[in-house]
Amino acid sequence: MDEKKNRRYDTVIFDLDGTLLDTLADLTNSTNAVLKQFGMGSRTLDEVRAFVGNGIRNLLKRAVTRDVDEEEFDHIFQCFREHYGLHCMDETEPYPGILSLLDWMDKEGIQTAIVSNKADFAVKKLRDIYFGRLVPVAIGEQEGCRRKPAPDSVLKALGELGADPGHAVYVGDSDVDLQTAKNAGLDCIAVSWGFRSREFLLEHGAHPDRIAANVKELRELLV
């Protein structure tokens, strides 16, 4: 039996933060640097963990510790983009086993893409640095493409890959990812090593047999 021909999926669309990369420390550091710049108190790792998932603009809206008008918030947001652009690789690293998984997928001919609510410039920069050719398509938040959980960016990634949605799966670590997969008509595998726990994922609709606690379990769910 040819395993490749009988594999359930030939395309895997990944979330980025909390799925492929542990970005929490750098996100927290940039958040706190900007909050300090504007005379606000700091946020903990666990607070920022709870704030992420809907893009950096929403992260900052949740993180600010006092009322700000739209003009000041736009300034805060721009300062964060600049700081994070310079420091997004200070402590960020792939989760254990991710590079080996992507290398295996490349050898097996499984297509891959990243779809994230992180700013597009940061998604592409982090893809280039950490994964290079192993992930040929990387799409972040950009004009004219609704953010997750809208299906737009997932469908765009499938189109760029020339992939069949019927043989594609979305892999992510949050309730936003679960809803994104549903809206795009894709199967979903949730991972519990990222920013949300297994219990949280179950509460938000993840199938108990479709949650991976580590990369080995994820690989088993892909074949």
Side-chain angles (χ1 to χ4, degrees):
M1 180 180 294
D2 188 331
E3 182 183 343
K4 292 183 182 181
K5 289 182 179 179
N6 289 276
R7 186 179 290 119
R8 181 183 300 181
Y9 306 115
D10 57 26
T11 302
V12 181
I13 311 295
F14 289 100
D15 173 50
L16 184 61
D17 295 43
T19 301
L20 294 178
L21 291 179
D22 184 355
T23 57
L24 186 60
D26 286 334
L27 286 169
T28 302
N29 291 341
S30 287
T31 297
N32 285 334
V34 172
L35 291 178
K36 181 178 179 180
Q37 179 181 343
F38 286 83
M40 302 184 205
S42 63
R43 293 293 193 170
T44 66
L45 278 170
D46 284 340
E47 285 178 318
V48 174
R49 186 195 309 275
F51 296 158
V52 298
N54 286 283
I56 56 176
R57 194 172 185 89
N58 282 316
L59 159 62
L60 288 174
K61 285 181 178 178
R62 295 162 180 165
V64 294
T65 58
R66 61 174 171 77
D67 291 336
V68 297
D69 60 26
E70 185 175 349
E71 182 179 357
E72 184 177 13
F73 181 80
D74 285 343
H75 191 193
I76 294 170
F77 178 63
Q78 185 57 39
C79 289
F80 177 92
R81 283 174 57 92
E82 293 171 2
H83 189 279
Y84 188 67
L86 293 172
H87 298 280
C88 64
M89 298 177 295
D90 289 358
E91 298 185 54
T92 288
E93 59 184 2
Y95 286 101
I98 286 295
L99 290 176
S100 294
L101 175 70
L102 292 174
D103 186 61
W104 168 76
M105 295 172 73
D106 181 58
K107 289 180 170 63
E108 291 293 304
I110 300 173
Q111 299 194 99
T112 58
I114 293 169
V115 167
S116 171
N117 276 343
K118 185 190 289 289
D120 191 62
F121 79 91
V123 173
K124 288 178 167 58
K125 179 176 180 177
L126 291 169
R127 183 277 309 272
D128 291 345
I129 294 297
Y130 292 102
F131 309 123
R133 66 170 188 81
L134 293 176
V135 185
V137 172
I139 299 172
E141 184 176 10
Q142 55 188 250
E143 289 292 329
C145 193
R146 293 177 298 170
R147 292 185 300 107
K148 298 185 301 181
D152 302 35
S153 50
V154 170
L155 299 178
K156 180 180 170 89
L158 291 171
E160 291 188 20
L161 291 171
D164 178 0
H167 294 281
V169 62
Y170 190 84
V171 177
D173 72 307
S174 73
D175 52 322
V176 174
D177 296 318
L178 293 167
Q179 191 61 48
T180 299
K182 181 178 180 180
N183 291 341
L186 266 60
D187 287 351
C188 186
I189 299 173
V191 302
S192 59
W193 62 68
F195 296 164
R196 303 290 185 264
S197 68
R198 177 181 176 86
E199 291 71 28
F200 179 95
L201 294 167
L202 288 170
E203 290 172 2
H204 288 81
H207 191 285
D209 295 330
R210 305 283 289 171
I211 301 176
N214 52 56
V215 170
K216 180 177 181 293
E217 291 185 4
L218 174 57
R219 177 167 167 171
E220 290 171 353
L221 290 169
L222 292 173
V223 297

